Amino acid sequence: MSAPRTDGPLLIEEQEDRVLIRLNRPEVRNAIDQSMVDALHEACALLEREPRVALLVGSGGTFAAGADIAQLRERRLTDALAGINSGIFDRIHRLPMPTIALLDGYALGGGAELAYACDFRIGTPTVKIGNPEPGLGILAAAGGAWRLRELVGEPLAKEVLLAGRILTGEEAQEVRLLNELAAPEDLEAAGHRLADRIARQAPLAVRLSKAAFHAPREAHPLIDNVAQAVLFETQEKQDRMTAFLNRRKEKE
């Protein structure tokens, strides 16, 4: 395990099978500014070089209250076309291994879109999740306008995106936007328990399963067959199946 970094817009703690990424701008409720986007790109580069489960959590009792409004107010046409936030959230979505967002306090606007880009979401009962962008004269352009529909369905997504509905933790779990509810003091432990479950699987099998899951429909079944062919040749497949058969034999 590496020592955690102690400054900057992100605090990163590396372990052998996972990386904890803590959003570290508590004085502005972890608003996502350019410095945080740059740091998230660095974190993604680390996870692309050394694929591991990533846990994203806020500091100061808040996940992220949105993008930095002061910076957003100054952005113009070319900034929007550059896809500053959508680019980093898409990169997070495409990371090789699963990502887990741990949500407390506010997960609004860009904070919600960051959570939508992750593979799993665990939240507290008092978390507030939503996309109030139209109230500021803009739209949820960093993935919210389409990822949320994929996650919860069109009717509820339209309430959130067009009518400003904010979801509580209980409401978000009811529609499976959250995989689990946890008390604030247990939130990180709940994330690590999920990471433990993932870590018990064969890492390459998890990685290729995620890639196949997100592949376009026209890529199937070819991508499944190719991925399975790769896994069939691994020593880990041999070892795990042999261990399974030996355990079964011992029970007979």
Side-chain angles (χ1 to χ4, degrees), residues 1-2 5 12-21 41-55 91 94-99 203-204 207 210:
M1 179 190 305
S2 70
R5 302 174 191 175
I12 297 180
E13 180 179 335
E14 295 185 50
Q15 298 183 23
E16 183 178 355
D17 60 1
R18 70 198 65 177
V19 175
L20 179 68
I21 301 170
H41 275 295
E42 292 179 10
C44 285
L46 170 68
L47 291 162
E48 289 159 354
R49 288 194 305 272
E50 302 176 49
R52 284 168 284 178
V53 174
L55 299 96
R91 189 174 183 181
R94 291 184 288 104
L95 283 171
M97 291 291 281
T99 53
L204 184 59
R207 182 174 176 177
K210 178 176 175 177

Side-chain angles (χ1 to χ4, degrees), residues 6-249:
T6 57
D7 57 9
L10 298 181
L11 304 181
I12 297 180
E13 180 179 335
E14 295 185 50
Q15 298 183 23
E16 183 178 355
D17 60 1
R18 70 198 65 177
V19 175
L20 179 68
I21 301 170
R22 192 180 306 277
L23 310 184
N24 187 42
R25 301 186 72 221
E27 70 282 0
V28 288
R29 295 179 175 174
N30 302 317
I32 301 169
D33 68 348
Q34 186 64 57
S35 70
M36 187 178 286
V37 168
D38 294 341
L40 284 168
H41 275 295
E42 292 179 10
C44 285
L46 170 68
L47 291 162
E48 289 159 354
R49 288 194 305 272
E50 302 176 49
R52 284 168 284 178
V53 174
L55 299 96
L56 289 87
V57 64
S59 55
T62 290
F63 182 67
D68 190 297
I69 302 302
Q71 287 191 2
L72 274 182
R73 186 179 61 180
E74 302 307 314
R75 290 180 182 173
R76 295 295 184 263
L77 180 150
T78 54
D79 300 304
L81 293 177
I84 296 170
N85 286 3
S86 62
I88 184 56
F89 298 162
D90 189 57
R91 189 174 183 181
I92 289 168
H93 181 73
R94 291 184 288 104
L95 283 171
M97 291 291 281
T99 53
I100 305 168
L102 305 176
L103 311 179
D104 193 15
Y106 295 104
L108 300 174
E113 291 178 303
L114 173 57
Y116 303 157
C118 291
D119 297 296
F120 302 97
R121 286 157 294 280
I122 300 174
T124 64
T126 55
V127 70
K128 301 290 188 289
I129 305 172
N131 292 92
E133 285 92 339
L136 296 170
I138 58 175
L139 72 135
W146 54 275
R147 280 201 179 100
L148 186 60
R149 179 179 59 191
E150 293 180 350
L151 291 167
V152 303
E154 183 175 328
L156 180 56
K158 282 183 174 177
E159 276 194 70
V160 173
L161 295 166
L162 307 182
R165 180 172 174 179
I166 303 297
L167 301 176
T168 66
E170 290 90 347
E171 291 170 333
Q173 189 191 34
E174 286 176 4
V175 296
R176 302 301 295 166
L177 181 59
L178 294 180
N179 298 90
E180 181 182 345
L181 280 181
E185 63 272 17
D186 190 46
L187 184 60
E188 289 189 39
H192 281 292
R193 288 193 294 269
L194 177 54
D196 289 341
R197 287 163 52 194
I198 297 169
R200 287 194 289 269
Q201 316 306 310
L204 184 59
V206 171
R207 182 174 176 177
L208 292 181
S209 293
K210 178 176 175 177
F213 186 94
H214 289 296
R217 177 62 184 87
E218 57 270 19
H220 300 283
L222 176 60
I223 191 171
D224 308 84
N225 296 339
V226 171
Q228 192 76 297
V230 171
L231 293 170
F232 274 5
E233 296 300 315
T234 62
Q235 187 61 46
E236 185 153 24
K237 173 252 189 181
Q238 293 295 122
D239 293 344
R240 284 174 175 261
M241 289 192 173
T242 299
F244 174 85
L245 292 171
N246 288 341
R247 288 194 300 271
R248 189 170 70 178
K249 187 174 182 180

